[in-house]
Amino acid sequence: MNNQNLNRRKFIGSGIKGMVVAGLSVSAAAEILSSCNTSKKIITLPKGLSFDQKPLPYPYHALEDVIDSQTMEIHYTKHAAAYSKNLKEAASAENVASNTSVESLLGRISKYSMKMRNNAGGHYNHEMFWNMMRPKRQGNMPSGELALEIEKHFGSFESFKLQFSNAAAGRFGSGWAWLYVAPGNVLKIGSTPNQDNPLMDISTIKGSPLLGLDVWEHAYYLKYQNKRADYIANWWSIVNWDFVNSLWQKAI
Ligand code: MN
């Protein structure tokens, strides 16, 4: 059996359930599965985020008392939903196929409008952000090889937290702080304005995002008002290090 057939078998074996877990909508997964029935068709494995907003991976109250339920609900159903909707509008107006992965679009975002840039970035950033968090844990920190890698690049976990927190606190106005893998598998910390991110060809920091923190006021203002530093300090107890680790494994 050649590799292509082997991959095809593995792929079909995983079925709709596996693809939905991997982030595809049920209809997209069903469409890909049905295409597998045509034996001579070459199968392209799905890769990346779609333009659709996925369900939040936990209830609105799950991140209490770090992020309150009302903030989560408004953030997800209003702000993030608007990025997805406006991305689809921009894609339609600028002839971008609706099955394009958001990641590939971000890599050539300089070719499109500011509406595309803001909303493709906003959609990607939020879809990732929800998964980068989980219910609060005491002593929450990375483990295994990722923990060693963070120590290697930043001296210690505490030093990493301090540098990342400074990047988040120091972002003037709205934007994001990032831990990302730069070329050469180097872990770096940086920040981007607005809804930009390190996948964008126009970004001054470039690489694969591992962890992002939304420091727009809409992410914290109801509970923290002007105290961005308190939001950042509390946020460390809800970072989903298992998800960050999975992104790191994919990136290297
Ligand atoms: Mn946001």
Side-chain angles (χ1 to χ4, degrees), residues 75 79 83 126 176 195 214 216 218-219:
H75 202 175
H79 297 281
Y83 297 125
H126 288 83
W176 291 74
Q195 294 294 354
D214 187 346
W216 282 58
H218 70 225

Side-chain angles (χ1 to χ4, degrees), residues 165-192:
S165 299
N166 286 342
R171 165 52 51 193
F172 184 76
S174 298
W176 291 74
W178 299 101
L179 168 68
Y180 62 101
V181 185
N185 288 342
V186 183
L187 292 190
K188 288 191 172 175
I189 288 168
S191 82
T192 51

